[in-house]
């Protein structure tokens, strides 16, 4: 019923929310723009970019475990897109960061996409 609301979101073990947001055009475009923002920031390295991106999304520092998992995702994505340049260019879309290799740019889009799909980002508790 559209006339009722709930204060607390019910937990679910179905992947529907994740599938909707990961494949939603708005979330993909937001991920592309966020990747360009992170790659354009005057930061020393990927570690600082990860921390900065995480803080943009959820307004706190990532834990060591969170930072390591995002770092692993970024590295795996860089390796994969290094061998799939056409896929990398397609994923980047119109938000390519200047002077950044397509594989690196695409890896950041993937990383930003996961950050934007965190439950802590999507829900307010």
């Amino acid at each position: 019923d559209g006339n009722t609301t709930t204060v607390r979101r019910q937990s679910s073990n179905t992947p529907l929310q994740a599938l909707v947001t990961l494949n939603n055009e708005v979330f993909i475009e937001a991920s592309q723009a966020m990747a360009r923002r992170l790659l354009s920031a005057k930061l020393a390295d990927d570690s600082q970019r990860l921390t900065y991106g995480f803080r943009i999304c959820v307004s706190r520092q990532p834990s060591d475990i969170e930072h390591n998992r995002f770092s692993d995702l970024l590295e795996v994505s860089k390796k994969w897109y290094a061998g799939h340049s056409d896929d990398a260019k397609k994923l980047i879309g119109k938000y390519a960061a200047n002077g950044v290799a397509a594989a690196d740019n695409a890896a950041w889009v993937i990383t930003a996409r996961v950050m934007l799909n965190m439950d802590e980002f999507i829900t307010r508790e």
Side-chain angles (χ1 to χ4, degrees):
D1 182 3
N3 294 323
T4 59
T5 61
T6 181
V7 178
R8 181 168 227 139
R9 183 173 163 246
Q10 302 249 339
S11 294
S12 171
N13 62 358
T14 63
L16 293 178
Q17 176 179 310
L19 289 173
V20 167
T21 56
L22 280 173
N23 295 313
N24 183 287
E25 189 175 329
V26 172
F27 274 81
I28 292 170
E29 191 171 330
S31 301
Q32 293 166 337
M34 183 173 167
R36 183 174 67 182
R37 178 178 178 182
L38 295 174
L39 288 166
S40 300
K42 304 291 185 211
L43 299 168
D45 57 21
D46 287 343
S47 178
Q48 287 184 358
R49 283 186 188 89
L50 284 171
T51 300
Y52 179 56
F54 199 90
R55 290 188 67 209
I56 289 170
C57 289
V58 294
S59 300
R60 68 171 176 84
Q61 294 287 114
S63 68
D64 289 342
I65 292 171
E66 291 166 330
H67 192 279
N68 291 338
R69 287 187 179 165
F70 277 109
S71 182
D72 291 345
L73 172 63
L74 181 63
E75 291 308 312
V76 167
S77 298
K78 282 182 181 183
K79 289 177 186 173
W80 194 86
Y81 282 109
H84 299 86
S85 61
D86 289 340
D87 291 328
K89 290 173 188 170
K90 184 178 176 183
L91 179 63
I92 296 165
K94 64 183 178 182
Y95 291 99
N98 294 328
V100 177
D104 290 346
N105 205 326
W108 275 102
V109 172
I110 292 297
T111 303
R113 198 168 160 190
V114 173
M115 284 183 185
L116 295 174
N117 198 49
M118 293 186 301
D119 187 62
E120 189 174 349
F121 176 81
I122 295 171
T123 62
R124 183 175 164 184
E125 293 179 13

